[in-house]
Amino acid sequence: MDAQEPTGALPPTGPRDWTDDHVARLLPALPGLDPVVEGAVTRMKRLSVHLRHVRERALADFGLERHEFDTLHRLAGHGGAAAPSVLAAELGLPPVSVTARLDALEERGLLARLPSAADPRRLDAVLTDTGRATWRGTMEVLTREEERLLGVLTPAERAVLDGLLRRVLLAAETPPPTVGGGS
């Protein structure tokens, strides 16, 4: 192997995908490119785009905007009821923005505001039956596609993939060390 040849460059053993050809086109222009890293990152990007398109179609089918689904999703994750302040913190939004979202979802009959079980002086956002059915219907479409994609892997392979992606994401969530140290 000569010094210019990237390490880890293994030809695909099965069918070639779009990324294999992409990497092959880049290698002559970027001789130091690690084809395994480029392949993995490109595939993650393409999967993300694919899943985003599936999500957009599902949201359109259920008459939801992305921000509406995100709000219903957070609510569902709290058993169907949560304080607006909790939703604001989880969504990373100012309370006034969450109030506007909740107003619109309440107007559409997807949630109601009811006295909080923890503090009856406050109102919680609570999924209605229609809101829960809309969220579940959207989730069923998304889950079916995720299961179709990951269904090509054995349960053990899915567990390995999950663990590897967790490690990569933990690295992404950790700020890189600062260079220098000057004050």
Side-chain angles (χ1 to χ4, degrees), residues 87-133:
L87 296 172
E90 286 190 11
L91 293 164
L93 295 171
V96 69
S97 296
V98 170
T99 298
R101 284 185 182 195
L102 297 179
D103 289 345
L105 290 166
E106 185 173 31
E107 195 171 299
R108 292 184 53 199
L110 300 174
L111 65 83
R113 289 190 177 112
L114 301 174
S116 168
D119 182 354
R121 296 170 296 173
R122 295 186 176 191
L123 295 178
D124 280 348
V126 179
L127 285 174
T128 62
D129 290 342
T130 302
R132 188 176 306 279

Side-chain angles (χ1 to χ4, degrees), residues 4 12 18 28 38 64 66 72 79 83-84 89 94 116 119-121 125 141 147 149 162 171:
Q4 296 256 318
W18 181 92
E38 180 66 18
L64 290 173
R66 189 186 83 227
L72 295 176
S116 168
D119 182 354
R121 296 170 296 173
V141 171
E147 288 174 351
L149 295 176
D162 182 50

Side-chain angles (χ1 to χ4, degrees), residues 46-64:
R46 289 184 62 85
L47 280 169
S48 179
V49 167
H50 172 77
L51 290 170
R52 186 174 66 242
H53 289 307
V54 169
R55 179 179 170 172
E56 289 168 359
R57 284 192 307 271
L59 293 177
D61 289 347
F62 285 90
L64 290 173

